[in-house]
Amino acid sequence: RQGEEAQDELREQLVRRDEDRTVAEAVAAAAAEAAEAGGRNIEVLRQQGEALSERLAVAQEAREQLQKELAESSHMRDELREFEATCQKEQLDAKRWRGIIIEEQDRNRDLQEQLSTANKDRHEAKRAEAAKSREVERLKSKLEAAERALQRPDGGALE
C-alpha cells in the first residue's frame, strides 16, 4: 500500500511537473512573443525618440534664436527709451529757445522803435537847428544892414 501511495504520489508529481512544464513552455512562448513585440515596440520607441530628439534640437535652436531676438529687442527698447528721453529734452529745449527768440524779437522791435524815434528826433533837431541857423543868418543880415544904416551920414534913413 505504501508503494502504491508512493507511486500515486510520483504520478501526481509527474502530472504536476508536466503541467508545470506546459505552463512554463506557454509562459516562455508568451515571453518570447512579448519580447518580439517588445523588440518591435522598442524599435518604434527608438524611432520616436530620434524624431523627438530632432524636434527638440529644432526647438532648442528656435529658443536660442528667440532669446537672441529678445535680447536685441530689449536692447532696442532701451535705445528707444533713451531716444524718447532725448526727444522730450530736445522738445523742452526747443520750447525754451522759442521763448528766448520771441523775447529777443520783442527787444529788437523795441530797440528798432527807439532807433526810429531817435532818428526822427535827430532829424527834427537838425531841421530846427537849420531853421535857427537860417533865422540867425537873417537876423545877422538885418543887424548888419541896420548898423550900416546907422553909420551912413544921412542918419540912417532908408531910401
Side-chain angles (χ1 to χ4, degrees), residues 7-64:
Q7 281 182 349
D8 286 339
E9 192 176 312
L10 280 175
R11 273 189 215 124
E12 282 179 21
Q13 284 180 359
L14 282 174
V15 169
R16 272 189 259 142
R17 196 172 102 210
D18 286 340
E19 287 173 357
D20 287 345
R21 186 182 308 142
T22 304
V23 169
E25 287 173 357
V27 168
E33 191 176 306
E36 186 177 322
R40 284 190 305 261
N41 286 342
I42 287 174
E43 182 61 26
V44 169
L45 289 175
R46 187 188 61 74
Q47 290 172 352
Q48 289 176 346
E50 288 175 2
L52 286 174
S53 293
E54 290 174 9
R55 286 177 55 198
L56 178 61
V58 170
Q60 285 175 335
E61 288 176 15
R63 181 189 58 124
E64 289 172 4

Side-chain angles (χ1 to χ4, degrees), residues 88 122 148:
Q88 288 176 349
R122 186 173 50 112
R148 274 187 294 211

Side-chain angles (χ1 to χ4, degrees), residues 48-115:
Q48 289 176 346
E50 288 175 2
L52 286 174
S53 293
E54 290 174 9
R55 286 177 55 198
L56 178 61
V58 170
Q60 285 175 335
E61 288 176 15
R63 181 189 58 124
E64 289 172 4
Q65 182 63 31
L66 286 173
Q67 284 177 331
K68 287 178 186 176
E69 290 175 8
L70 178 62
E72 289 174 8
S73 69
S74 177
H75 178 68
M76 291 173 73
R77 186 174 43 244
D78 292 343
E79 286 180 2
L80 179 61
R81 285 184 184 140
E82 288 177 21
F83 178 73
E84 287 173 341
T86 301
C87 184
Q88 288 176 349
K89 181 186 174 293
E90 292 296 327
Q91 286 175 339
L92 290 174
D93 286 349
K95 185 177 181 181
R96 185 175 54 88
W97 279 107
R98 274 192 299 274
I100 290 171
I101 289 169
I102 290 170
E103 288 175 8
E104 193 62 32
Q105 287 173 336
D106 289 343
R107 274 195 296 269
N108 189 28
R109 190 173 16 266
D110 289 344
L111 289 172
Q112 288 291 336
E113 288 173 5
Q114 289 174 11
L115 179 62

Side-chain angles (χ1 to χ4, degrees), residues 122-139:
R122 186 173 50 112
H123 180 69
E124 288 297 318
K126 281 184 179 182
R127 282 183 64 198
E129 185 179 328
K132 284 181 185 179
S133 290
R134 284 190 304 271
E135 181 66 18
V136 166
E137 288 300 319
R138 185 184 68 78
L139 290 174

